[in-house]
Amino acid sequence: MAQEPGAAIIHLGGAMLDLGRGTLSRDGRILPLRSKSFRLLCELARQPGRVVLKGELLDAVWPDVTVTEASLSQAVRDIRKAIADEAGQILRTIARRGFMLCPSDGSAASNRGTPAAGSPQAQPRIALLPLADRTGDPDRRPILEGLMEEITAGLGRFRNLTVVARHSAFSAAADTSLGLAEIGATLRADYIVNGSARLADGHLVLAVALNDVRSGEILWGDSFACEGGGWLTLQDLIPRRIVQRLFAVVEEAGHRESLRRGKAEMSAFEHLARGRSLFRSYELGVNELARAHFASAIAVDPSLGVAHSLLGMTEMALHDYGLAPLEVKRGAKARAHHAVELSPDDSRCLSHLSYLHAHLREFEAGEQTARRAVEVNPCDADALFNLGHILSWRGRAEDCLMWIEAAREVNPLWPAYYDVAASAALYDLERYEESARVLLRVPRLSARQEMRLAATYARMGDRDLTRHHIARARMLAPDLDFAEANRRGWTSEHERQIHHLNDGIELAERMAQNVDGDSITGGSKEERP
């Protein structure tokens, strides 16, 4: 395949593809690559940001030879090895369809070599160094290495992070003359995780820190006592907690960086981080802003699956989720399906799809997809929570609470919507005091949530709090028929859950009107359950 004079130079992580010269290099050194693999790379480089079907690639690279897809897969592996893209973030696999090349600086193949508008930009790159062993026990070394392997693998499951391969990170750290900045430069890492291990009262204590290579700032640090037991074990819970917090802090750093940039300068990751921060904030009017950032992330990187599914989720939020018109629900589900096609191993895309299955009353498909999300990434607390949420809608409130508790174990800084779902499950179980206490932790309640609190206090026989929350609900939505809204918008496989809530609302309404009488439930507040 002849190369055109003056064709683009395309940056692929630290590697550089020069289509004009027909070379692939890093730091001025030519990288070896077999002819068919190089031809495949060039074919993909001429169509950056586009899914190129397997059949197209086979026809272009092996035009006169009959080969199987195994030859294509081998060439892809060769390319990824050459450009140090073991995680498949630059040369992406699009399940059951083909491959997409995502240049790291937005460069694209044009005759002038100028970046194409809307091309994807690099995502954060993180390296995990071995823990400094201060235990004084050489038998602990394999445990420490195993923990770091689990953390490295766990971070790799979050698809919009690039994780430096363990052997590369450990090799760089072995040079004791290098500081963190030099190690970061060697590994081309934006963030470095380091730490130490010691013994305290016979227990292994890990101290872990996340460092910003560019600024030298420690973004996060914490210590973890590995005592084992509980829902997850020593080899399970501690790595998952660390992974969840590391990912959250990197995302928060992307959000902060986005605040310093104009919208046109922001990377896809920064748009995604800003949108997620807004979407999770529970503030008024943020869903429109979040939606705009998710749309911008897609414009920068069309292959970013989670941005597509989150765009659908914001559209649901703008219509109060269950109350959304059928066409909005179907449109959001179509976006989530597309997201899973782009990122089949992204737990967030699978979780969003499962949620939308359930909203369309496809409960079995919703549960199966939610379980798949947990299998793909057990470090994703939101995936654990989402499975619990789906099970609640299926009438299995005890199972719901178990999975939400598992999510809280992994993410002790859980978002408010965990409490909303847990409160609903507790109401279903007639654990009213707990239900009210959990829902009151939510910083900003909607009108329907205020009415659910009123129903909860009515079940408890507390007339004053019932009236208080009915008044707040009516202030927020003076014209809403709450019982009808629940019938139309409360996602549940079983009518009894909706009847249970609406009966509570009816009881609250009667109690609020009974200004002078005793509690409608027939008992005093001292006799409440």
Side-chain angles (χ1 to χ4, degrees), residues 157-469:
R157 293 187 177 105
F158 287 95
R159 303 309 299 171
N160 51 307
L161 280 182
T162 297
V163 183
V164 176
R166 174 187 173 278
H167 70 271
S168 298
F170 278 39
S171 296
D175 186 345
T176 57
S177 68
L178 299 179
L180 286 184
E182 290 81 9
I183 292 173
T186 300
L187 299 173
R188 295 178 288 111
D190 302 294
Y191 303 99
I192 285 181
V193 178
N194 67 345
S196 63
R198 59 184 175 86
L199 291 176
D201 298 325
H203 296 300
L204 189 63
V205 177
L206 308 179
V208 183
L210 176 67
N211 305 269
D212 186 320
V213 172
R214 182 172 51 187
S215 68
E217 178 186 3
I218 297 176
L219 299 179
W220 168 76
D222 205 346
S223 61
F224 300 86
C226 302
E227 300 177 10
W231 189 80
L232 299 170
T233 64
L234 162 64
Q235 292 80 17
D236 218 356
L237 176 57
I238 297 301
R240 291 188 194 190
R241 279 186 177 173
I242 294 172
V243 167
Q244 176 69 38
R245 195 66 196 122
L246 286 172
F247 178 74
V249 175
V250 170
E251 195 170 57
E252 289 164 11
H255 174 227
R256 289 197 300 272
E257 183 65 24
S258 74
L259 297 174
R260 293 191 282 269
R261 298 180 187 268
K263 191 171 182 181
E265 301 174 295
M266 289 166 60
S267 70
F269 179 80
E270 288 165 347
H271 277 298
L272 182 66
R274 176 88 72 90
R276 275 175 57 84
S277 178
L278 290 165
F279 193 43
R280 293 163 69 101
S281 70
Y282 254 65
E283 297 295 327
L284 293 175
V286 297
N287 291 326
E288 294 88 344
L289 297 173
R291 180 173 62 175
H293 280 290
F294 296 143
S296 295
I298 292 168
V300 173
D301 184 354
S303 72
L304 190 58
V306 68
H308 290 271
S309 60
L310 281 168
L311 184 60
M313 292 293 286
T314 55
E315 289 166 354
M316 288 285 290
L318 288 167
H319 290 85
D320 200 4
Y321 295 103
L323 293 175
L326 183 60
E327 60 270 20
V328 172
K329 294 178 181 178
R330 287 175 173 167
K333 180 185 165 185
R335 290 189 187 279
H337 262 302
H338 181 56
V340 171
E341 288 179 351
L342 290 171
S343 305
D345 294 326
D346 192 320
S347 56
R348 295 163 300 168
C349 298
L350 289 163
S351 291
H352 298 153
L353 178 58
S354 73
Y355 180 85
L356 293 161
H357 272 307
H359 269 297
L360 287 164
R361 304 196 63 76
E362 299 161 359
F363 292 105
E364 183 62 30
E367 180 179 341
Q368 290 177 2
T369 308
R371 291 190 182 278
R372 171 64 180 151
V374 171
E375 291 171 5
V376 163
N377 190 357
C379 299
D380 184 352
D382 280 356
L384 302 174
F385 160 78
N386 182 68
L387 175 54
H389 204 179
I390 299 295
L391 294 175
S392 174
W393 291 343
R394 302 209 72 183
R396 289 146 64 184
E398 291 283 7
D399 290 343
C400 164
L401 292 174
M402 181 193 76
W403 283 102
I404 292 179
E405 182 57 30
R408 288 170 172 161
E409 285 279 356
V410 173
N411 181 15
L413 303 176
W414 65 83
Y417 52 79
Y418 286 24
D419 289 330
V420 174
S423 172
L426 289 164
Y427 182 93
D428 284 346
L429 293 169
E430 301 184 10
R431 291 159 60 177
Y432 299 122
E433 290 191 18
E434 292 175 80
S435 176
R437 185 169 63 251
V438 169
L439 191 54
L440 285 170
R441 292 201 295 245
V442 176
R444 188 184 299 275
L445 295 174
S446 69
R448 291 171 66 192
Q449 289 159 0
E450 290 283 3
M451 186 57 79
R452 178 146 63 84
L453 265 179
T456 305
Y457 283 118
R459 295 281 191 183
M460 293 162 60
D462 193 322
R463 186 172 60 195
D464 291 340
L465 285 174
T466 297
R467 290 173 179 163
H468 172 75
H469 288 286

Side-chain angles (χ1 to χ4, degrees), residues 3 8-10 12 15-26 28-33 38 41-42:
Q3 305 297 332
I9 292 175
I10 299 179
L12 305 170
M16 184 175 71
L17 174 64
D18 189 327
L19 289 174
R21 295 176 179 270
T23 59
L24 178 67
S25 63
R26 177 182 289 111
R29 180 175 60 86
I30 299 298
L31 299 175
L33 196 60
F38 185 80
L41 177 59
C42 291

